[in-house]
Amino acid sequence: MSLDAFRLDGKTALITGGNRGIGLAIARLFGEAGAQCMLSARSETPQSRELTNRDGYAFTEGDVTDPAVPERLVQATLDRFGRLDILVNNAGVADGGDFHDFDDKRLARIMDTNLIAPFRVARAAIPPMLAQGGGAIVNIGSISGYVANKPQLQVAYNSSKAAIHQMTTVMAFEYAGRGIRVNALAPGYIRTRMAEGGMADDAMSKVWRDSTPMGRFGEPEEMATCALFLASDAASFVTGATLVADGGYITH
């Protein structure tokens, strides 16, 4: 196997939450690796618009918590590019607070976005992948699916990400013999909008950094390289895995 195994020439990827942060970094790198990319989010950002104005990129607006949207995103990808080889389930939200005060509305927002929506998008993506003989799915989980984060309290978020890891495992088992690989990526603390509030707080930022053996936060581009590996033929014998990329956070 050569370095060409990391190329995505001739492949098409659908990336949810592709308008910023990790999703946008993945889209950029996948394009550099030769893929055509359909980005999706509730709205475009100037950064995603700059990318989707280029050849080989497109954008479809949609709120993945709407039950009708997952099928629409997959169909839009097929209509624009003719195939769907890679799905990156990246869209997600975070929320925290005392467990006993976490009301049903906030719980539903977390679960609908972080678990139910990725389930539906993957469910919609599987049939065209089966029809063309295979594909790759990368679900974005989190180290929060393994640990209790500190100092923030976020039972619902952590539970949703643990569920994504398990969904990945069982999907991989079901489709391994039919040419579809399913893996997850579990980032640590990455410089994205989701984490910027904590990183701007000196006390919280110190706890996060001190809890990371490498002593720093990750960058979206570092997560993109991990996603490229999982989506490419370089990971041709990898399925059902959750790749942790956290600077060592969960080692202790």
Side-chain angles (χ1 to χ4, degrees):
M1 186 176 291
S2 71
L3 287 175
D4 288 342
F6 290 92
R7 297 289 305 173
L8 300 177
D9 300 291
K11 296 184 178 181
T12 294
L14 168 60
I15 303 163
T16 68
N19 62 342
R20 58 170 54 91
I22 292 173
L24 185 61
I26 289 172
R28 285 196 182 106
L29 186 60
F30 279 20
E32 291 174 11
Q36 301 176 114
C37 297
M38 174 64 77
L39 282 62
S40 128
R42 284 175 290 185
S43 62
E44 277 219 80
T45 61
Q47 294 78 16
S48 67
R49 190 172 294 109
E50 187 276 330
L51 193 62
T52 56
N53 283 336
R54 303 178 190 175
D55 289 341
Y57 287 95
F59 183 87
T60 298
E61 184 176 302
D63 181 348
V64 289
T65 65
D66 179 341
V69 165
E71 291 276 359
R72 181 165 63 79
L73 296 181
V74 169
Q75 191 58 52
T77 306
L78 296 172
D79 291 345
R80 178 63 181 268
F81 297 116
R83 59 187 296 117
L84 175 56
D85 303 281
I86 300 163
L87 166 64
V88 180
N89 259 324
N90 172 69
V93 294
D95 193 5
D98 288 330
F99 176 76
H100 59 275
D101 287 331
F102 208 84
D103 61 42
D104 284 351
K105 183 177 180 180
R106 295 166 70 195
L107 176 62
R109 176 174 176 264
I110 289 287
M111 292 302 176
D112 286 350
T113 308
N114 293 357
L115 176 60
I116 304 302
F119 185 105
R120 287 174 175 151
V121 179
R123 184 177 62 189
I126 289 288
M129 288 183 178
L130 288 173
Q132 69 195 26
I137 296 174
V138 181
N139 295 317
I140 305 301
S142 171
I143 58 167
S144 299
Y146 290 105
V147 300
N149 301 79
K150 60 180 183 179
Q152 71 273 32
L153 305 172
Q154 47 186 43
V155 173
Y157 177 79
N158 291 46
S159 298
S160 71
K161 291 303 186 178
I164 282 293
H165 299 168
Q166 180 65 1
M167 185 181 87
T168 297
T169 299
V170 181
M171 285 179 65
F173 174 79
E174 182 169 351
Y175 292 102
R178 288 183 271 181
I180 300 174
R181 296 185 301 103
V182 187
N183 293 290
L185 172 61
Y189 288 103
I190 311 301
R191 291 189 186 279
T192 64
R193 192 177 72 163
M194 185 179 290
E196 66 185 3
M199 291 178 181
D201 181 291
D202 289 342
M204 186 172 287
S205 180
K206 184 178 188 306
V207 172
W208 290 357
R209 191 178 288 107
D210 288 350
S211 298
T212 303
M214 290 184 71
R216 66 174 178 87
F217 301 126
E219 301 296 335
E221 292 74 18
E222 293 178 295
M223 301 304 102
T225 57
C226 294
L228 176 61
F229 166 67
L230 293 174
S232 72
D233 289 342
S236 58
F237 198 56
V238 180
T239 197
T242 296
L243 173 58
V244 177
D246 69 346
Y249 187 98
I250 70 168
T251 59
H252 61 90

